[in-house]
Amino acid sequence: MKSTPCAAIVGAGRTKFAEHWDEDPRSMIGKAGMTAFESVDKGIRRRDIDACYFGSFLYQVTNKIGLVPGYMSRELGMNVPMINTEAACASGGLALHNACIGLQSGNYDAVLVAGFEKMTDRQDKITDDLMFAADPHEFEAGYTFPGLYATMMTRYMYEYGNGDARCEEALAQIAVKNHHHCVRNPFAQFQEKGEITVDEVKQSKIVANPIRILHCSPVSDGASALILTRPEIAKQYTDTPVYILSSHEATDHVSLYTRDNITGVNATRIATAKALKAADLTIDDIDIAEVHDCFTIEEMFFLEDSGFYPKGEAWKHVYESCESFKGPSHIPYDKNGHELTVNLGGGLKADGHPVGATGVRQAYECFRQLRKEAGGNQIDRDVNIAMCHNVGGTGGVATVHLLARDLE
Ligand code: COA
């Protein structure tokens, strides 16, 4: 493992992800930011923050917020740089990536990173609005995001499933597992819904064939925040920082129809390979991963794009893993005796997916897991290395962050 991390997380906070009809972005960011500040063990003052990074996708459309730096300056009472990133569903991951670059540059010692989205205000139009993250031709052809992912899922099942019913079953098992994980996460959108079964997924209403409602992440409101410092000074703020070993972003065509293949996400492949190399790790070193599962097929893609399973074979391993552990109580993706546990908080599927907040929420979850502070959904084995994987659109952007508690 690389011994010189690029940043350290010293505090983290979030709101519950839900339909927050009575909240506005300002109050949600305020709540997430305040809990992040309050979680810094030895305290941190607002004047210690040198810059703020914000990730959000649709604020101009959903909230009529344009000049985010000026808006945030007023809300936070600060005059530091307010850096604003937009990469659709990867906006949060990109804000975190840019924050790491800011700290590594030596320009800043401590920064705030926040992600937010208020989607329900446009409930009846949000499906159209999300298509800003796709190609205009795809929008004109009548596609929605569930439709785009349904195309990818159909192709995957055709090329690799070979008509085997277990392939469809494995895609349902991912939803079952992520709902199972969210049951002990008090911030998750679907905590109250409880466990779901494979049969319920397979019989739930069709959204865009073969994607059913229980394959989908929901429409959500929420915010999440992190306090990051240069690694050298992290212990001024807490005795147990979580280090960011590497931070990478990769891009690819925004459109499906110009890509070489649509049974995976090339940007994930590139970003994961670069992040692992930079941290001097392999995929088998990763203990837990917060993975972008906007639709269950995307989690399946990750398991192949990251190199954890060979191309086209993840569905067999997911199926066998679920069977061997007798259901969703714990699905470690077990390979060569190594376990990679995915989406302990419930993932986008069940924790919720307020688009810009998701990439920051993933780091929040890993921070809490690595510090053994995840409460009811704390993993039941000792883990030290975590991965956060955030995708924009159908794969136009991917960010990957590798986190560790102990550097040796
Ligand atoms: N998973 C599980 N349950 C869901 C759900 C989901 N994704 N979405 C909605 N529900 C539940 C609701 O809680 C509600 O339950 P209740 O009747 O017990 O209260 C019920 O289903 C109906 O909810 P409703 O909001 O009317 O559903 P909908 O049909 O309008 O929306 C989707 C469902 C799947 C179309 C919507 O959640 C969606 O568009 N998701 C994808 C979002 C997206 O594309 N994000 C970007 C990804 S790249």
PDB file of all heavy atoms in Angstrom, residues 191-228:
ATOM      1  N   GLN A 191     -35.436   2.317   4.716  1.00  0.00           N
ATOM      2  CA  GLN A 191     -35.269   1.555   5.961  1.00  0.00           C
ATOM      3  C   GLN A 191     -36.610   0.980   6.434  1.00  0.00           C
ATOM      4  O   GLN A 191     -36.701  -0.185   6.800  1.00  0.00           O
ATOM      5  CB  GLN A 191     -34.687   2.434   7.068  1.00  0.00           C
ATOM      6  CG  GLN A 191     -34.346   1.606   8.299  1.00  0.00           C
ATOM      7  CD  GLN A 191     -34.036   2.427   9.539  1.00  0.00           C
ATOM      8  OE1 GLN A 191     -34.412   3.577   9.647  1.00  0.00           O
ATOM      9  NE2 GLN A 191     -33.355   1.809  10.477  1.00  0.00           N
ATOM     10  N   GLU A 192     -37.637   1.813   6.391  1.00  0.00           N
ATOM     11  CA  GLU A 192     -38.945   1.378   6.926  1.00  0.00           C
ATOM     12  C   GLU A 192     -39.583   0.296   6.057  1.00  0.00           C
ATOM     13  O   GLU A 192     -40.414  -0.469   6.527  1.00  0.00           O
ATOM     14  CB  GLU A 192     -39.906   2.561   7.057  1.00  0.00           C
ATOM     15  CG  GLU A 192     -39.540   3.560   8.162  1.00  0.00           C
ATOM     16  CD  GLU A 192     -38.463   4.541   7.729  1.00  0.00           C
ATOM     17  OE1 GLU A 192     -38.250   4.667   6.500  1.00  0.00           O
ATOM     18  OE2 GLU A 192     -37.815   5.155   8.597  1.00  0.00           O
ATOM     19  N   LYS A 193     -39.212   0.231   4.782  1.00  0.00           N
ATOM     20  CA  LYS A 193     -39.819  -0.772   3.895  1.00  0.00           C
ATOM     21  C   LYS A 193     -39.403  -2.193   4.268  1.00  0.00           C
ATOM     22  O   LYS A 193     -40.091  -3.157   3.941  1.00  0.00           O
ATOM     23  CB  LYS A 193     -39.419  -0.501   2.441  1.00  0.00           C
ATOM     24  CG  LYS A 193     -40.387   0.436   1.720  1.00  0.00           C
ATOM     25  CD  LYS A 193     -40.211   0.336   0.219  1.00  0.00           C
ATOM     26  CE  LYS A 193     -40.984   1.394  -0.533  1.00  0.00           C
ATOM     27  NZ  LYS A 193     -42.433   1.168  -0.524  1.00  0.00           N
ATOM     28  N   GLY A 194     -38.228  -2.317   4.913  1.00  0.00           N
ATOM     29  CA  GLY A 194     -37.770  -3.641   5.349  1.00  0.00           C
ATOM     30  C   GLY A 194     -37.215  -4.486   4.205  1.00  0.00           C
ATOM     31  O   GLY A 194     -36.953  -3.992   3.108  1.00  0.00           O
ATOM     32  N   GLU A 195     -37.083  -5.775   4.513  1.00  0.00           N
ATOM     33  CA  GLU A 195     -36.488  -6.707   3.554  1.00  0.00           C
ATOM     34  C   GLU A 195     -37.400  -6.905   2.343  1.00  0.00           C
ATOM     35  O   GLU A 195     -38.623  -6.792   2.467  1.00  0.00           O
ATOM     36  CB  GLU A 195     -36.288  -8.080   4.213  1.00  0.00           C
ATOM     37  CG  GLU A 195     -35.552  -8.061   5.537  1.00  0.00           C
ATOM     38  CD  GLU A 195     -34.050  -8.226   5.364  1.00  0.00           C
ATOM     39  OE1 GLU A 195     -33.615  -8.474   4.228  1.00  0.00           O
ATOM     40  OE2 GLU A 195     -33.336  -8.105   6.374  1.00  0.00           O
ATOM     41  N   ILE A 196     -36.814  -7.222   1.212  1.00  0.00           N
ATOM     42  CA  ILE A 196     -37.604  -7.641   0.053  1.00  0.00           C
ATOM     43  C   ILE A 196     -37.080  -9.011  -0.400  1.00  0.00           C
ATOM     44  O   ILE A 196     -35.987  -9.415  -0.008  1.00  0.00           O
ATOM     45  CB  ILE A 196     -37.530  -6.621  -1.110  1.00  0.00           C
ATOM     46  CG1 ILE A 196     -36.071  -6.407  -1.563  1.00  0.00           C
ATOM     47  CG2 ILE A 196     -38.195  -5.303  -0.728  1.00  0.00           C
ATOM     48  CD1 ILE A 196     -35.958  -5.597  -2.849  1.00  0.00           C
ATOM     49  N   THR A 197     -37.850  -9.701  -1.220  1.00  0.00           N
ATOM     50  CA  THR A 197     -37.438 -11.024  -1.686  1.00  0.00           C
ATOM     51  C   THR A 197     -37.174 -10.984  -3.200  1.00  0.00           C
ATOM     52  O   THR A 197     -37.641 -10.081  -3.898  1.00  0.00           O
ATOM     53  CB  THR A 197     -38.527 -12.081  -1.425  1.00  0.00           C
ATOM     54  OG1 THR A 197     -39.673 -11.728  -2.214  1.00  0.00           O
ATOM     55  CG2 THR A 197     -38.922 -12.128   0.046  1.00  0.00           C
ATOM     56  N   VAL A 198     -36.479 -12.018  -3.664  1.00  0.00           N
ATOM     57  CA  VAL A 198     -36.200 -12.140  -5.099  1.00  0.00           C
ATOM     58  C   VAL A 198     -37.511 -12.186  -5.886  1.00  0.00           C
ATOM     59  O   VAL A 198     -37.652 -11.542  -6.926  1.00  0.00           O
ATOM     60  CB  VAL A 198     -35.331 -13.385  -5.371  1.00  0.00           C
ATOM     61  CG1 VAL A 198     -35.304 -13.730  -6.851  1.00  0.00           C
ATOM     62  CG2 VAL A 198     -33.910 -13.160  -4.871  1.00  0.00           C
ATOM     63  N   ASP A 199     -38.485 -12.924  -5.346  1.00  0.00           N
ATOM     64  CA  ASP A 199     -39.770 -13.011  -6.056  1.00  0.00           C
ATOM     65  C   ASP A 199     -40.446 -11.649  -6.148  1.00  0.00           C
ATOM     66  O   ASP A 199     -41.040 -11.310  -7.164  1.00  0.00           O
ATOM     67  CB  ASP A 199     -40.708 -14.010  -5.354  1.00  0.00           C
ATOM     68  CG  ASP A 199     -40.323 -15.438  -5.699  1.00  0.00           C
ATOM     69  OD1 ASP A 199     -39.576 -15.622  -6.678  1.00  0.00           O
ATOM     70  OD2 ASP A 199     -40.744 -16.359  -4.971  1.00  0.00           O
ATOM     71  N   GLU A 200     -40.341 -10.864  -5.071  1.00  0.00           N
ATOM     72  CA  GLU A 200     -40.949  -9.525  -5.114  1.00  0.00           C
ATOM     73  C   GLU A 200     -40.286  -8.659  -6.194  1.00  0.00           C
ATOM     74  O   GLU A 200     -40.954  -7.907  -6.889  1.00  0.00           O
ATOM     75  CB  GLU A 200     -40.838  -8.836  -3.745  1.00  0.00           C
ATOM     76  CG  GLU A 200     -41.884  -9.330  -2.761  1.00  0.00           C
ATOM     77  CD  GLU A 200     -41.638  -8.852  -1.330  1.00  0.00           C
ATOM     78  OE1 GLU A 200     -40.499  -8.460  -0.994  1.00  0.00           O
ATOM     79  OE2 GLU A 200     -42.582  -8.894  -0.544  1.00  0.00           O
ATOM     80  N   VAL A 201     -38.967  -8.777  -6.313  1.00  0.00           N
ATOM     81  CA  VAL A 201     -38.273  -8.006  -7.357  1.00  0.00           C
ATOM     82  C   VAL A 201     -38.775  -8.464  -8.727  1.00  0.00           C
ATOM     83  O   VAL A 201     -39.140  -7.646  -9.579  1.00  0.00           O
ATOM     84  CB  VAL A 201     -36.737  -8.186  -7.279  1.00  0.00           C
ATOM     85  CG1 VAL A 201     -36.057  -7.385  -8.397  1.00  0.00           C
ATOM     86  CG2 VAL A 201     -36.200  -7.768  -5.921  1.00  0.00           C
ATOM     87  N   LYS A 202     -38.852  -9.790  -8.905  1.00  0.00           N
ATOM     88  CA  LYS A 202     -39.217 -10.320 -10.230  1.00  0.00           C
ATOM     89  C   LYS A 202     -40.668 -10.055 -10.596  1.00  0.00           C
ATOM     90  O   LYS A 202     -41.031 -10.080 -11.772  1.00  0.00           O
ATOM     91  CB  LYS A 202     -38.930 -11.832 -10.271  1.00  0.00           C
ATOM     92  CG  LYS A 202     -37.425 -12.110 -10.402  1.00  0.00           C
ATOM     93  CD  LYS A 202     -37.056 -13.537 -10.094  1.00  0.00           C
ATOM     94  CE  LYS A 202     -37.568 -14.525 -11.103  1.00  0.00           C
ATOM     95  NZ  LYS A 202     -37.215 -15.901 -10.704  1.00  0.00           N
ATOM     96  N   GLN A 203     -41.485  -9.782  -9.572  1.00  0.00           N
ATOM     97  CA  GLN A 203     -42.902  -9.504  -9.863  1.00  0.00           C
ATOM     98  C   GLN A 203     -43.255  -8.027  -9.733  1.00  0.00           C
ATOM     99  O   GLN A 203     -44.403  -7.644  -9.914  1.00  0.00           O
ATOM    100  CB  GLN A 203     -43.782 -10.325  -8.915  1.00  0.00           C
ATOM    101  CG  GLN A 203     -43.829 -11.789  -9.315  1.00  0.00           C
ATOM    102  CD  GLN A 203     -44.185 -12.708  -8.170  1.00  0.00           C
ATOM    103  OE1 GLN A 203     -44.785 -12.287  -7.183  1.00  0.00           O
ATOM    104  NE2 GLN A 203     -43.809 -13.972  -8.288  1.00  0.00           N
ATOM    105  N   SER A 204     -42.265  -7.186  -9.386  1.00  0.00           N
ATOM    106  CA  SER A 204     -42.576  -5.762  -9.221  1.00  0.00           C
ATOM    107  C   SER A 204     -42.854  -5.142 -10.581  1.00  0.00           C
ATOM    108  O   SER A 204     -42.548  -5.720 -11.629  1.00  0.00           O
ATOM    109  CB  SER A 204     -41.426  -5.048  -8.501  1.00  0.00           C
ATOM    110  OG  SER A 204     -40.234  -5.124  -9.244  1.00  0.00           O
ATOM    111  N   LYS A 205     -43.431  -3.934 -10.582  1.00  0.00           N
ATOM    112  CA  LYS A 205     -43.922  -3.392 -11.852  1.00  0.00           C
ATOM    113  C   LYS A 205     -42.776  -3.040 -12.802  1.00  0.00           C
ATOM    114  O   LYS A 205     -41.706  -2.587 -12.382  1.00  0.00           O
ATOM    115  CB  LYS A 205     -44.853  -2.200 -11.608  1.00  0.00           C
ATOM    116  CG  LYS A 205     -44.182  -0.879 -11.361  1.00  0.00           C
ATOM    117  CD  LYS A 205     -45.222   0.257 -11.301  1.00  0.00           C
ATOM    118  CE  LYS A 205     -44.511   1.537 -10.882  1.00  0.00           C
ATOM    119  NZ  LYS A 205     -45.361   2.677 -10.632  1.00  0.00           N
ATOM    120  N   ILE A 206     -43.027  -3.283 -14.058  1.00  0.00           N
ATOM    121  CA  ILE A 206     -42.045  -2.993 -15.105  1.00  0.00           C
ATOM    122  C   ILE A 206     -41.919  -1.482 -15.256  1.00  0.00           C
ATOM    123  O   ILE A 206     -42.918  -0.770 -15.357  1.00  0.00           O
ATOM    124  CB  ILE A 206     -42.510  -3.597 -16.454  1.00  0.00           C
ATOM    125  CG1 ILE A 206     -42.386  -5.118 -16.442  1.00  0.00           C
ATOM    126  CG2 ILE A 206     -41.767  -2.994 -17.625  1.00  0.00           C
ATOM    127  CD1 ILE A 206     -41.025  -5.652 -16.835  1.00  0.00           C
ATOM    128  N   VAL A 207     -40.671  -0.999 -15.276  1.00  0.00           N
ATOM    129  CA  VAL A 207     -40.430   0.428 -15.549  1.00  0.00           C
ATOM    130  C   VAL A 207     -39.972   0.577 -16.998  1.00  0.00           C
ATOM    131  O   VAL A 207     -40.488   1.402 -17.754  1.00  0.00           O
ATOM    132  CB  VAL A 207     -39.376   0.998 -14.568  1.00  0.00           C
ATOM    133  CG1 VAL A 207     -39.068   2.457 -14.895  1.00  0.00           C
ATOM    134  CG2 VAL A 207     -39.867   0.873 -13.124  1.00  0.00           C
ATOM    135  N   ALA A 208     -38.964  -0.201 -17.398  1.00  0.00           N
ATOM    136  CA  ALA A 208     -38.501  -0.261 -18.790  1.00  0.00           C
ATOM    137  C   ALA A 208     -37.923  -1.664 -18.947  1.00  0.00           C
ATOM    138  O   ALA A 208     -36.814  -1.923 -18.489  1.00  0.00           O
ATOM    139  CB  ALA A 208     -37.437   0.801 -19.061  1.00  0.00           C
ATOM    140  N   ASN A 209     -38.671  -2.531 -19.546  1.00  0.00           N
ATOM    141  CA  ASN A 209     -38.325  -3.958 -19.620  1.00  0.00           C
ATOM    142  C   ASN A 209     -36.859  -4.168 -20.040  1.00  0.00           C
ATOM    143  O   ASN A 209     -36.435  -3.583 -21.021  1.00  0.00           O
ATOM    144  CB  ASN A 209     -39.255  -4.632 -20.644  1.00  0.00           C
ATOM    145  CG  ASN A 209     -39.266  -6.132 -20.497  1.00  0.00           C
ATOM    146  OD1 ASN A 209     -38.913  -6.659 -19.452  1.00  0.00           O
ATOM    147  ND2 ASN A 209     -39.655  -6.820 -21.563  1.00  0.00           N
ATOM    148  N   PRO A 210     -36.049  -4.937 -19.318  1.00  0.00           N
ATOM    149  CA  PRO A 210     -36.367  -5.827 -18.189  1.00  0.00           C
ATOM    150  C   PRO A 210     -36.212  -5.176 -16.813  1.00  0.00           C
ATOM    151  O   PRO A 210     -36.200  -5.895 -15.813  1.00  0.00           O
ATOM    152  CB  PRO A 210     -35.330  -6.942 -18.373  1.00  0.00           C
ATOM    153  CG  PRO A 210     -34.133  -6.239 -18.938  1.00  0.00           C
ATOM    154  CD  PRO A 210     -34.668  -5.126 -19.807  1.00  0.00           C
ATOM    155  N   ILE A 211     -36.063  -3.852 -16.780  1.00  0.00           N
ATOM    156  CA  ILE A 211     -35.899  -3.197 -15.474  1.00  0.00           C
ATOM    157  C   ILE A 211     -37.260  -3.015 -14.824  1.00  0.00           C
ATOM    158  O   ILE A 211     -38.179  -2.445 -15.417  1.00  0.00           O
ATOM    159  CB  ILE A 211     -35.149  -1.857 -15.630  1.00  0.00           C
ATOM    160  CG1 ILE A 211     -33.669  -2.144 -15.926  1.00  0.00           C
ATOM    161  CG2 ILE A 211     -35.320  -0.991 -14.388  1.00  0.00           C
ATOM    162  CD1 ILE A 211     -32.766  -0.946 -15.949  1.00  0.00           C
ATOM    163  N   ARG A 212     -37.351  -3.507 -13.583  1.00  0.00           N
ATOM    164  CA  ARG A 212     -38.557  -3.359 -12.778  1.00  0.00           C
ATOM    165  C   ARG A 212     -38.278  -2.345 -11.681  1.00  0.00           C
ATOM    166  O   ARG A 212     -37.124  -2.022 -11.411  1.00  0.00           O
ATOM    167  CB  ARG A 212     -38.956  -4.720 -12.181  1.00  0.00           C
ATOM    168  CG  ARG A 212     -39.392  -5.706 -13.246  1.00  0.00           C
ATOM    169  CD  ARG A 212     -39.609  -7.094 -12.696  1.00  0.00           C
ATOM    170  NE  ARG A 212     -39.981  -7.998 -13.772  1.00  0.00           N
ATOM    171  CZ  ARG A 212     -41.244  -8.198 -14.182  1.00  0.00           C
ATOM    172  NH1 ARG A 212     -42.245  -7.585 -13.569  1.00  0.00           N
ATOM    173  NH2 ARG A 212     -41.504  -9.004 -15.185  1.00  0.00           N
ATOM    174  N   ILE A 213     -39.345  -1.901 -11.029  1.00  0.00           N
ATOM    175  CA  ILE A 213     -39.174  -0.817 -10.047  1.00  0.00           C
ATOM    176  C   ILE A 213     -38.164  -1.206  -8.965  1.00  0.00           C
ATOM    177  O   ILE A 213     -37.384  -0.371  -8.504  1.00  0.00           O
ATOM    178  CB  ILE A 213     -40.538  -0.389  -9.445  1.00  0.00           C
ATOM    179  CG1 ILE A 213     -40.379   0.901  -8.635  1.00  0.00           C
ATOM    180  CG2 ILE A 213     -41.177  -1.474  -8.627  1.00  0.00           C
ATOM    181  CD1 ILE A 213     -41.708   1.570  -8.274  1.00  0.00           C
ATOM    182  N   LEU A 214     -38.126  -2.495  -8.581  1.00  0.00           N
ATOM    183  CA  LEU A 214     -37.205  -2.890  -7.506  1.00  0.00           C
ATOM    184  C   LEU A 214     -35.767  -3.102  -7.991  1.00  0.00           C
ATOM    185  O   LEU A 214     -34.892  -3.461  -7.207  1.00  0.00           O
ATOM    186  CB  LEU A 214     -37.746  -4.121  -6.768  1.00  0.00           C
ATOM    187  CG  LEU A 214     -38.985  -3.822  -5.901  1.00  0.00           C
ATOM    188  CD1 LEU A 214     -39.533  -5.095  -5.262  1.00  0.00           C
ATOM    189  CD2 LEU A 214     -38.682  -2.788  -4.822  1.00  0.00           C
ATOM    190  N   HIS A 215     -35.515  -2.853  -9.280  1.00  0.00           N
ATOM    191  CA  HIS A 215     -34.126  -2.780  -9.768  1.00  0.00           C
ATOM    192  C   HIS A 215     -33.603  -1.342  -9.692  1.00  0.00           C
ATOM    193  O   HIS A 215     -32.418  -1.112  -9.920  1.00  0.00           O
ATOM    194  CB  HIS A 215     -34.039  -3.190 -11.255  1.00  0.00           C
ATOM    195  CG  HIS A 215     -34.226  -4.652 -11.505  1.00  0.00           C
ATOM    196  ND1 HIS A 215     -33.245  -5.571 -11.220  1.00  0.00           N
ATOM    197  CD2 HIS A 215     -35.250  -5.354 -12.031  1.00  0.00           C
ATOM    198  CE1 HIS A 215     -33.674  -6.780 -11.568  1.00  0.00           C
ATOM    199  NE2 HIS A 215     -34.888  -6.676 -12.048  1.00  0.00           N
ATOM    200  N   CYS A 216     -34.497  -0.384  -9.434  1.00  0.00           N
ATOM    201  CA  CYS A 216     -34.143   1.041  -9.597  1.00  0.00           C
ATOM    202  C   CYS A 216     -33.790   1.704  -8.273  1.00  0.00           C
ATOM    203  O   CYS A 216     -34.398   1.419  -7.242  1.00  0.00           O
ATOM    204  CB  CYS A 216     -35.333   1.826 -10.136  1.00  0.00           C
ATOM    205  SG  CYS A 216     -35.991   1.264 -11.698  1.00  0.00           S
ATOM    206  N   SER A 217     -32.862   2.659  -8.325  1.00  0.00           N
ATOM    207  CA  SER A 217     -32.719   3.612  -7.230  1.00  0.00           C
ATOM    208  C   SER A 217     -33.927   4.547  -7.294  1.00  0.00           C
ATOM    209  O   SER A 217     -34.533   4.711  -8.345  1.00  0.00           O
ATOM    210  CB  SER A 217     -31.419   4.398  -7.379  1.00  0.00           C
ATOM    211  OG  SER A 217     -31.410   5.072  -8.623  1.00  0.00           O
ATOM    212  N   PRO A 218     -34.289   5.162  -6.166  1.00  0.00           N
ATOM    213  CA  PRO A 218     -35.467   6.034  -6.169  1.00  0.00           C
ATOM    214  C   PRO A 218     -35.131   7.493  -6.490  1.00  0.00           C
ATOM    215  O   PRO A 218     -33.967   7.851  -6.653  1.00  0.00           O
ATOM    216  CB  PRO A 218     -35.948   5.919  -4.717  1.00  0.00           C
ATOM    217  CG  PRO A 218     -34.703   5.682  -3.932  1.00  0.00           C
ATOM    218  CD  PRO A 218     -33.761   4.912  -4.817  1.00  0.00           C
ATOM    219  N   VAL A 219     -36.150   8.300  -6.569  1.00  0.00           N
ATOM    220  CA  VAL A 219     -36.016   9.757  -6.638  1.00  0.00           C
ATOM    221  C   VAL A 219     -35.909  10.253  -5.190  1.00  0.00           C
ATOM    222  O   VAL A 219     -36.754   9.906  -4.365  1.00  0.00           O
ATOM    223  CB  VAL A 219     -37.246  10.351  -7.355  1.00  0.00           C
ATOM    224  CG1 VAL A 219     -37.286  11.855  -7.235  1.00  0.00           C
ATOM    225  CG2 VAL A 219     -37.245   9.918  -8.828  1.00  0.00           C
ATOM    226  N   SER A 220     -34.864  11.028  -4.888  1.00  0.00           N
ATOM    227  CA  SER A 220     -34.547  11.323  -3.482  1.00  0.00           C
ATOM    228  C   SER A 220     -34.131  12.771  -3.284  1.00  0.00           C
ATOM    229  O   SER A 220     -33.632  13.422  -4.203  1.00  0.00           O
ATOM    230  CB  SER A 220     -33.360  10.455  -3.015  1.00  0.00           C
ATOM    231  OG  SER A 220     -33.458   9.128  -3.450  1.00  0.00           O
ATOM    232  N   ASP A 221     -34.280  13.248  -2.046  1.00  0.00           N
ATOM    233  CA  ASP A 221     -33.716  14.518  -1.609  1.00  0.00           C
ATOM    234  C   ASP A 221     -32.687  14.205  -0.527  1.00  0.00           C
ATOM    235  O   ASP A 221     -32.909  13.292   0.287  1.00  0.00           O
ATOM    236  CB  ASP A 221     -34.779  15.416  -0.971  1.00  0.00           C
ATOM    237  CG  ASP A 221     -35.940  15.701  -1.915  1.00  0.00           C
ATOM    238  OD1 ASP A 221     -35.704  15.805  -3.134  1.00  0.00           O
ATOM    239  OD2 ASP A 221     -37.079  15.819  -1.421  1.00  0.00           O
ATOM    240  N   GLY A 222     -31.623  14.997  -0.468  1.00  0.00           N
ATOM    241  CA  GLY A 222     -30.674  14.789   0.621  1.00  0.00           C
ATOM    242  C   GLY A 222     -29.360  15.489   0.384  1.00  0.00           C
ATOM    243  O   GLY A 222     -29.103  16.016  -0.707  1.00  0.00           O
ATOM    244  N   ALA A 223     -28.547  15.514   1.437  1.00  0.00           N
ATOM    245  CA  ALA A 223     -27.220  16.145   1.354  1.00  0.00           C
ATOM    246  C   ALA A 223     -26.245  15.359   2.213  1.00  0.00           C
ATOM    247  O   ALA A 223     -26.646  14.662   3.156  1.00  0.00           O
ATOM    248  CB  ALA A 223     -27.297  17.591   1.835  1.00  0.00           C
ATOM    249  N   SER A 224     -24.973  15.454   1.865  1.00  0.00           N
ATOM    250  CA  SER A 224     -23.917  14.794   2.630  1.00  0.00           C
ATOM    251  C   SER A 224     -22.685  15.689   2.595  1.00  0.00           C
ATOM    252  O   SER A 224     -22.525  16.498   1.670  1.00  0.00           O
ATOM    253  CB  SER A 224     -23.604  13.417   2.037  1.00  0.00           C
ATOM    254  OG  SER A 224     -23.603  13.484   0.627  1.00  0.00           O
ATOM    255  N   ALA A 225     -21.838  15.566   3.613  1.00  0.00           N
ATOM    256  CA  ALA A 225     -20.687  16.474   3.702  1.00  0.00           C
ATOM    257  C   ALA A 225     -19.496  15.790   4.364  1.00  0.00           C
ATOM    258  O   ALA A 225     -19.670  14.876   5.185  1.00  0.00           O
ATOM    259  CB  ALA A 225     -21.073  17.718   4.500  1.00  0.00           C
ATOM    260  N   LEU A 226     -18.305  16.229   3.993  1.00  0.00           N
ATOM    261  CA  LEU A 226     -17.060  15.714   4.561  1.00  0.00           C
ATOM    262  C   LEU A 226     -16.148  16.891   4.905  1.00  0.00           C
ATOM    263  O   LEU A 226     -16.182  17.920   4.215  1.00  0.00           O
ATOM    264  CB  LEU A 226     -16.303  14.855   3.534  1.00  0.00           C
ATOM    265  CG  LEU A 226     -17.017  13.684   2.875  1.00  0.00           C
ATOM    266  CD1 LEU A 226     -16.219  13.187   1.677  1.00  0.00           C
ATOM    267  CD2 LEU A 226     -17.206  12.557   3.894  1.00  0.00           C
ATOM    268  N   ILE A 227     -15.321  16.727   5.931  1.00  0.00           N
ATOM    269  CA  ILE A 227     -14.238  17.685   6.184  1.00  0.00           C
ATOM    270  C   ILE A 227     -12.941  16.957   5.868  1.00  0.00           C
ATOM    271  O   ILE A 227     -12.672  15.877   6.419  1.00  0.00           O
ATOM    272  CB  ILE A 227     -14.190  18.152   7.663  1.00  0.00           C
ATOM    273  CG1 ILE A 227     -15.563  18.619   8.146  1.00  0.00           C
ATOM    274  CG2 ILE A 227     -13.120  19.224   7.840  1.00  0.00           C
ATOM    275  CD1 ILE A 227     -15.993  19.976   7.717  1.00  0.00           C
ATOM    276  N   LEU A 228     -12.175  17.517   4.959  1.00  0.00           N
ATOM    277  CA  LEU A 228     -10.905  16.920   4.520  1.00  0.00           C
ATOM    278  C   LEU A 228      -9.741  17.832   4.913  1.00  0.00           C
ATOM    279  O   LEU A 228      -9.884  19.064   4.861  1.00  0.00           O
ATOM    280  CB  LEU A 228     -10.895  16.810   2.984  1.00  0.00           C
ATOM    281  CG  LEU A 228     -11.234  15.463   2.328  1.00  0.00           C
ATOM    282  CD1 LEU A 228     -12.628  15.031   2.730  1.00  0.00           C
ATOM    283  CD2 LEU A 228     -11.122  15.579   0.826  1.00  0.00           C
TER     284      LEU A 228
END
